[in-house]
């Protein structure tokens, strides 16, 4: 039986906002704006002193959001994030201590990978939804496209160097479940507390889809067949 704690259909939308918060007071209005725009899954990175309190505030005051912790670097980070109310964990790599905490607590973990060897290690630990990171620097679209052949059961959330313009190309890959990015909640927009702008960015991100395939060009000889 699979030990996977985070299946390919877990994300509720095509984009997971990756958020760095410097001020706890921004947490709740930011989360409400993102949810109003259609982005329910929110990754708060553990990169600032405000992160854990931000997770706690969102978990307590915005129940319609599913707040998770990103940049989880060890078992202690994982435990503190879960105590604060995180409902999923995202790590830049696969740490066995983090995996053990996630399994013990029954909380989804999306570990980061960048190579086939790391994908195999994650599969051995029972994970099939993985963070491809840093996506642009680790080989970009060609690398992730090549991963589809040997790893048909794996789905990825590529993160790192992806923006609104490039996201549809990533979403077009059959092994991509969602993409992560900072553009739905840019730091300057958060700093000026422009929540309507955040909601608009979230709405645009939630509407992203893979690009439509080009239509077949007209047959140049079609007219001659009349």
């Amino acid at each position: 039986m699979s030990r996977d704690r985070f299946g390919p259909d877990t994300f509720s939308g095509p984009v997971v906002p990756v958020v760095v918060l410097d001020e706890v007071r921004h947490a709740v209005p930011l989360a409400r704006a993102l949810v109003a725009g259609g982005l329910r899954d929110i990754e708060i990175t553990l990169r600032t002193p405000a992160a854990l309190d931000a997770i706690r505030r969102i978990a307590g005051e915005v129940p319609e959001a599913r707040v998770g912790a990103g940049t989880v670097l060890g078992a202690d980070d994982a435990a503190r994030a879960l105590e604060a109310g995180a409902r999923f964990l995202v790590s830049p790599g696969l740490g066995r201590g983090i995996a053990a905490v996630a399994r013990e607590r029954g909380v989804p973990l999306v570990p980061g990978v960048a190579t086939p060897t790391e994908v195999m290690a994650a599969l051995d630990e029972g994970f099939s939804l993985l963070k491809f990171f840093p996506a642009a620097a680790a080989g970009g679209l060609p690398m992730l496209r090549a991963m589809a052949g040997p790893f048909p059961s794996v789905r990825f959330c590529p993160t790192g160097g992806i923006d609104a313009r490039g996201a549809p190309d990533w979403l077009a890959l059959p092994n991509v479940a969602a993409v992560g990015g900072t553009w739905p909640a840019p730091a300057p927009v958060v700093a000026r507390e422009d929540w309507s702008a955040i909601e608009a960015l979230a709405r645009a991100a939630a509407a992203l889809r893979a690009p439509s395939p080009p239509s077949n060009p007209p047959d140049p000889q079609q007219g001659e067949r009349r």
Side-chain angles (χ1 to χ4, degrees), residues 4-109:
D4 191 12
R5 296 288 189 179
F6 216 176
D9 299 322
T10 299
F11 290 125
S12 61
V15 177
V16 179
V18 179
V19 179
V20 180
L21 279 179
D22 292 312
E23 297 193 46
V24 176
R25 64 188 177 88
H26 289 155
V28 168
L30 171 64
R32 286 175 175 159
L34 290 170
V35 169
L39 298 181
R40 175 173 170 253
D41 300 318
I42 304 169
E43 177 186 337
I44 304 296
T45 61
L46 302 185
R47 299 182 187 181
T48 68
L52 290 174
D53 283 338
I55 291 171
R56 188 172 291 108
R57 290 283 303 275
I58 294 170
E61 299 182 43
V62 194
E64 59 272 35
R66 182 167 59 176
V67 62
T71 320
V72 178
L73 301 181
D76 288 345
D77 280 351
R80 285 193 292 264
L82 295 179
E83 289 167 4
R87 295 173 61 183
F88 64 92
L89 304 173
V90 183
S91 176
L94 175 59
R96 292 190 176 181
I98 302 169
V101 171
R103 275 200 280 274
E104 179 183 343
R105 301 282 292 271
V107 174
L109 167 65

Side-chain angles (χ1 to χ4, degrees), residues 115-122 151:
T115 68
T117 299
E118 293 171 354
V119 173
M120 293 172 66
F151 305 115

Side-chain angles (χ1 to χ4, degrees), residues 164-218:
R165 180 178 297 180
D169 292 329
W170 290 92
L171 292 168
L173 298 182
N175 55 348
V176 168
V179 300
T182 60
W183 83 87
V189 182
V190 174
R192 67 174 183 260
E193 303 181 5
D194 190 345
W195 309 126
S196 61
I198 295 290
E199 182 178 339
L201 289 168
R203 184 169 290 109
L208 286 176
R209 294 292 182 268
S212 301
S215 58
N216 293 328

